[in-house]
């Protein structure tokens, strides 16, 4: 199975909003609400920021929100801050107790 | 507090095996799954598989089947990942992560990562 498709890069100025898409198929994103997003700084452990499409774990800023339409999930980061820079990965259940990650999106705060 | 502490960096030759450990603390080890994820240099995250400390059951991404074994030792709250038949493109940072199930990618705590380098 192929990785989920994310844009390689995204950017925005401080205070702006940016949306990152994650496209799969009806066998993964389209067929399940088991979609999560992770924020990753190279050299560190990834951090869970969204689970089950739109839920935020305790302690994660309200500026992060998730949604899904058809085979595409989206992560929106509002009120961009310098600390939001880094790599963002989506992941989805793909049936048969396996998971797929997206290729990752590098977010730059201008 | 929940912690996952992994073994240190390792170097292996092509064709050899490597074993990475992941010691859990701060929670009931058998109540959660352990997932393994890797990141090769310059690449994205890749899900490898999961192991259930409660049942010993495992599930692997297809590309790793036949050369990767995941186990746990519940007496010391530690998970292990053994990869055989190493290739140069197995060079990566390997992470263990705590998961809630085998069908929802909710990985709420992660180990610090273990760099595995395959080199002749």
């Amino acid at each position: 199975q192929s990785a989920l498709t994310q844009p390689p890069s995204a950017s925005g100025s401080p205070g702006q909003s940016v949306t990152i898409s994650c496209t799969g198929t009806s066998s993964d994103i389209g067929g399940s609400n088991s979609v999560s997003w992770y924020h990753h700084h190279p050299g560190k452990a990834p951090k869970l920021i969204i689970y089950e499409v739109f839920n935020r774990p305790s302690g994660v800023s309200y500026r992060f929100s998730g949604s899904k339409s058809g085979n595409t999930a989206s992560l929106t980061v509002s009120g961009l801050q310098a600390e939001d820079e880094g790599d963002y990965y989506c992941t989805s259940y793909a049936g048969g107790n396996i998971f797929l990650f997206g290729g990752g999106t590098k977010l730059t705060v201008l | 507090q929940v912690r996952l502490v992994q073994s240190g960096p390792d170097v292996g030759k092509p064709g050899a095996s490597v074993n990475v450990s992941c010691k859990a603390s701060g929670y009931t080890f058998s109540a959660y799954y352990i997932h393994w994820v890797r990141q090769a240099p310059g690449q994205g995250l890749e899900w490898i598989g999961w192991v259930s400390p409660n049942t010993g059951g495992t599930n692997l991404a297809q590309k790793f089947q036949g050369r990767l074994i995941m186990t746990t030792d519940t007496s010391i709250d530690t998970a292990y990942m053994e990869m055989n038949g190493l290739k140069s493109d197995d060079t990566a940072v390997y992470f263990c992560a705590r998961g809630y199930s085998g069908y929802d990618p909710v990985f709420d705590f992660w180990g610090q990562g273990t760099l595995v380098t395959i080199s002749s």
Side-chain angles (χ1 to χ4, degrees), chain A residues 36 38 40 46 52 89 96-97 99, chain B residues 39 44 50 59 104-105 107 110:
Chain A
S36 300
Y38 293 86
H40 187 214
E52 292 172 357
Y89 292 90
N97 282 3
F99 303 94
Chain B
Q39 183 176 37
W50 57 252
N59 203 54
D104 203 348
F107 312 141
W110 294 65

Side-chain angles (χ1 to χ4, degrees), chain A residues 82-103:
Chain A
E83 67 203 48
D84 299 331
E85 285 201 334
D87 300 323
Y88 290 82
Y89 292 90
C90 60
T91 181
S92 173
Y93 180 63
N97 282 3
I98 67 169
F99 303 94
L100 293 175
F101 273 98

Side-chain angles (χ1 to χ4, degrees), chain B residues 68-106:
Chain B
L68 193 145
I69 301 170
M70 294 178 294
T71 58
T72 61
D73 184 339
T74 56
S75 70
I76 55 172
D77 293 349
T78 301
Y80 301 93
M81 183 202 70
E82 179 182 352
M83 185 177 290
N84 307 304
L86 292 170
K87 301 174 284 187
S88 58
D89 60 5
D90 289 320
T91 293
V93 176
Y94 289 77
F95 294 98
C96 63
R98 188 180 84 161
Y100 282 71
S101 75
Y103 52 85
D104 203 348
V106 183

Side-chain angles (χ1 to χ4, degrees), chain A:
Chain A
Q1 284 167 300
S2 302
L4 306 174
T5 300
Q6 297 181 233
S9 64
S11 63
S13 300
Q16 289 186 330
S17 295
V18 65
T19 297
I20 298 170
S21 63
C22 172
T23 301
T25 69
S26 58
S27 296
D28 38 70
I29 292 177
S32 168
N33 285 328
S34 296
V35 178
S36 300
W37 289 88
Y38 293 86
H39 184 196
H40 187 214
H41 288 112
K44 294 189 175 182
K47 177 185 177 183
L48 176 69
I49 55 173
I50 293 288
Y51 68 96
E52 292 172 357
V53 178
F54 55 79
N55 293 294
R56 277 190 310 275
S58 174
V60 172
S61 173
Y62 67 92
R63 298 185 298 103
F64 293 95
S65 61
S67 63
K68 190 188 88 165
S69 177
N71 297 337
T72 298
S74 299
L75 171 73
T76 297
V77 187
S78 306
L80 275 173
Q81 300 178 2
E83 67 203 48
D84 299 331
E85 285 201 334
D87 300 323
Y88 290 82
Y89 292 90
C90 60
T91 181
S92 173
Y93 180 63
N97 282 3
I98 67 169
F99 303 94
L100 293 175
F101 273 98
T105 298
K106 183 177 180 62
L107 176 63
T108 301
V109 180
L110 302 171

Side-chain angles (χ1 to χ4, degrees), chain B residues 8-98:
Chain B
D10 202 352
V11 179
K13 294 187 181 301
S17 299
V18 67
N19 198 317
V20 180
S21 67
C22 170
K23 180 167 176 58
S25 61
Y27 72 98
T28 301
F29 182 60
S30 59
Y32 296 83
Y33 287 56
I34 293 291
H35 292 254
W36 291 91
V37 175
R38 75 178 184 181
Q39 183 176 37
Q43 305 297 310
L45 299 177
E46 179 178 27
W47 181 79
I48 297 171
W50 57 252
V51 57
S52 166
N54 183 43
T55 66
T58 63
N59 203 54
L60 286 172
Q62 189 171 16
K63 67 181 290 185
F64 299 105
Q65 291 177 7
R67 68 183 192 102
L68 193 145
I69 301 170
M70 294 178 294
T71 58
T72 61
D73 184 339
T74 56
S75 70
I76 55 172
D77 293 349
T78 301
Y80 301 93
M81 183 202 70
E82 179 182 352
M83 185 177 290
N84 307 304
L86 292 170
K87 301 174 284 187
S88 58
D89 60 5
D90 289 320
T91 293
V93 176
Y94 289 77
F95 294 98
C96 63
R98 188 180 84 161

